[in-house]
Amino acid sequence: MSFVIETSGLSKSFGPVRAVDSISLSVRQGEIYGVVGLNGAGKTTTIRALLGMVRPSSGSVKVMGQPVGPNGRGPWQRVGYIVETPAAYPELTVTENLEIARRLHRVPDRNAASRVIEHLGIAPYAGRKAGTLSTGNLQRLGLARALLHEPDVLIMDEPTSGLDPNQIREVRDLIRELGRTKTILLSTHILQEVEAVASRAILISGGRIVFDGGIDRALTGPMLSGLFEYRLETFEQNGRRFVSFG
């Protein structure tokens, strides 16, 4: 079977610190796949390696069958991504930011910006400067930019970060909807964020995979009890109980 996203023995060191240690994962076409772990576990470094933003110390990365790294350009016209806090030109409006992205991606549809603005419910903020947006709306601007060129693959690092409960539900619904036609890899430190949308996941601690399999297995009692040494925490939000890596 060929995989849309694949790593083999992926490792990355920053000086003496081993941020990612022998990560091997494979994501099938049309799958929503989760990467779960606490802050500093290696999630973001793994995603940056998938996107060619950092060079692995060892191992290999392929996206849509193409090598990612110094010897491979990668299929970036078919990939959308959002990594950590989205960047935007603060003095430009939401529409202007997306119009720049449209031109950089060479998207011929001149209505692409207005289409994603409407899709993500940020039309009331279309004329507002990005520097004045709340964290939640800035996150949605990042999602809009990731979707602007209608990618086949979507890679998302903490896509619900900074969102209120209503916005979180909206993003979950959007991810489910997008998962009907796209391959999605998303990272989070909250297990239920992945449970709500994904079928498979890996759990990372200290740069290593400590679990790889179906999300239902990751949420069983024995599995969770084995992870308490990784500072598993719970919290409540709007009457719902969440499990989080602190």
Side-chain angles (χ1 to χ4, degrees), residues 11-20 44-46 48 54-55 57:
S11 297
K12 177 62 181 179
S13 296
F14 296 97
V17 178
R18 192 78 154 178
V20 173
T44 296
T45 300
T46 299
R48 287 182 176 275
V54 298
R55 180 181 297 185
S57 301

Side-chain angles (χ1 to χ4, degrees), residues 52-66:
M53 294 178 175
V54 298
R55 180 181 297 185
S57 301
S58 60
S60 63
V61 179
K62 288 184 178 181
V63 176
M64 303 198 79
Q66 297 187 34

Side-chain angles (χ1 to χ4, degrees), residues 19 67 86-87 89 95-97 103 113 122 146-149 170 179 196 198 228 231:
Y89 297 104
T95 299
E96 289 167 344
N97 269 278
R103 295 181 183 184
I122 51 176
L147 295 170
L148 189 67
H149 57 298
E170 290 170 2
F228 276 117
R231 295 195 291 122

